[in-house]
Amino acid sequence: MEIKFERFHLQSDLRSPLEGFETISVPTEVRIDPLTKRRSRIITWGLPSQGKFDFSKMVEESKGCFFCPENVLQKTPQFLKEIFPEGRICVGRAVGFPNLNPVGSYGSVIVLCHEHFLNLNQFTPEIYEEGLSVAIEIIRRTMAFDPDTRYWQISQNFLLPGGSTILHPHLQVIGDPIPTNEMEWLLDASFSYYQRNETLYWKDLIQIEKGLGKRYITNIGKTYWFVSFAPIGFNEVCGSVEGHGSITTLAKEEIASLAKGIVSTLKYYDAKFLNSFNFSIYSISGEAHYQLLVRIISRTPIQPYYLNDWTSFEVLQSELTANIIPEELCREIRPYFP
Ligand SMILES: [Zn+2]
C-alpha cells in the first residue's frame, strides 16, 4: 500500500491588536490528497456563528413554487416518450423530471418532498431513499436508451449559498458521455494506484483510516463514512460503497445506508447552525478501479450580509480551503451517525 498523508506546516507571525500588539503565530496546514495529490489548506480560525437564521419570511414569500405539490405535475417538463413513456417518475413523495435549464446531455431534477422548505434537521432517511430511487431509475432507463452515458452526478445544492435559486428541496441528476474534471481526476488516480499496487485505493484507504481511527466515522452496512484528510470544502464528509462504482447496482439496503449517512451529516450541520450545503455522488459505470463516492460539504450559512466561502484562493488559485481540522470534525460528527 502506498497511501501517504503528506502535510506542510505554514506559519504567519504578526503583532496582534487583540493581544496588545504582542507577537502571535497563526498556523496553516497544507495537506496533499493521498489519491489526487491536490493541495488543500486547513485554516485554524473561523468566523463566529450568528446563530439560527429565521427562514419564515423567505419561505412565506416563495411558497407555491413550481416544485410545490399543487404545481409539480402541471408546470414541470416531461421526459422524452422513448425514455419514459409516463413523462415523469415518482417514488413515494419524490418526483423526477427533466431540467428545463440543463447543463449537459441528460439533466434531471428530483423534487424530494411536499414541503416547500425543510431545516437541515428535518430531512429524513426516507426522503433520500425515495429521491435516490428516482435517480437510479432515471439513470437505468437513460443508459438503456443511450449506453454511452456512463458518467453521472447525483447532487444537491441547498439554498442560495449552495447555488440553488429554489428553496424547495431537490436533487440534480446529470449524465454525460464524458466525465467532469473531478471524475476524471478520481478515475485516473484510482487507475494508476491500481496499476502500482494491484489493489483498490478505496479499499486500502478505508482499511488505513479504520486503523488510524482519527478520520474514520463508521460503516452503515457496506457504506464506509470518513472525513477527508485533505478536504476540498468546509466540513467535508465522504462515504464510499464497497463493491460498486455506479449507483445503479445498489440494493435497497445500500440506498438506505447512503440516505442515513447524508441525514446524519445534515443533523450535525444543523447543530453547528449551518443551513446550506452541497453533495455529489460520483456514479461511474464500467470502471473496475473506482468505488462509488459521495462527498458532502457545508457552505457559509444564509445570514444577513452573506459571505461567500469561495475567495480568490479557490476560484483563481485552485487551492481549496477547509475551516475545521479534519480529525476534530470526525470527533464531533461521530455521535450523529447511527
Ligand atoms: Zn415549493
Side-chain angles (χ1 to χ4, degrees), residues 59 62-71 111 113-117 166-169:
V59 172
S62 62
K63 70 182 182 192
C65 77
F66 290 140
F67 297 171
C68 275
E70 64 273 26
N71 294 326
V111 173
C113 53
H114 292 169
E115 292 84 359
H116 179 63
F117 175 76
I166 298 179
L167 245 59
H168 204 124

Side-chain angles (χ1 to χ4, degrees), residues 46-219:
L47 293 168
S49 166
Q50 296 190 17
K52 276 217 185 285
F53 181 76
D54 179 5
F55 281 95
S56 52
K57 186 166 178 269
M58 204 184 267
V59 172
E60 190 55 37
E61 285 174 358
S62 62
K63 70 182 182 192
C65 77
F66 290 140
F67 297 171
C68 275
E70 64 273 26
N71 294 326
V72 70
L73 297 178
Q74 267 74 46
K75 296 187 176 173
T76 58
Q78 295 192 6
F79 288 110
L80 296 181
K81 285 205 168 73
E82 301 89 299
I83 309 179
F84 300 96
E86 60 271 54
R88 298 185 191 88
I89 294 197
C90 302
V91 173
R93 291 151 295 181
V95 187
F97 48 85
N99 193 336
L100 197 57
N101 302 304
V103 287
S105 313
Y106 297 98
S108 304
V109 170
I110 299 168
V111 173
L112 284 175
C113 53
H114 292 169
E115 292 84 359
H116 179 63
F117 175 76
L118 292 176
N119 287 300
L120 295 200
N121 62 356
Q122 292 173 311
F123 284 93
T124 63
E126 293 70 36
I127 289 175
Y128 283 107
E129 280 173 45
E130 292 173 359
L132 294 177
S133 301
V134 172
I136 289 169
E137 195 55 24
I138 290 174
I139 299 171
R140 278 185 189 151
R141 291 221 230 162
T142 309
M143 285 188 74
F145 174 74
D146 182 353
D148 288 340
T149 311
R150 292 168 47 217
Y151 304 96
W152 289 87
Q153 38 178 312
I154 300 99
S155 303
Q156 185 167 6
N157 305 323
F158 190 63
L159 302 186
L160 295 148
S164 176
T165 49
I166 298 179
L167 245 59
H168 204 124
H170 60 283
L171 302 180
Q172 308 263 354
V173 181
I174 302 166
D176 287 305
I178 55 167
T180 60
N181 279 319
E182 186 64 32
M183 289 176 189
E184 189 159 272
W185 296 330
L186 289 173
L187 287 176
D188 285 354
S190 317
F191 181 65
S192 43
Y193 183 88
Y194 187 84
Q195 280 192 316
R196 289 193 304 273
N197 299 278
E198 295 184 352
T199 49
L200 192 65
Y201 169 77
W202 309 99
K203 219 173 158 186
D204 288 354
L205 177 75
I206 286 157
Q207 200 189 324
I208 290 177
E209 289 292 19
K210 224 172 165 174
L212 291 172
K214 288 188 289 190
R215 291 175 295 269
Y216 179 75
I217 303 172
T218 190
N219 72 299

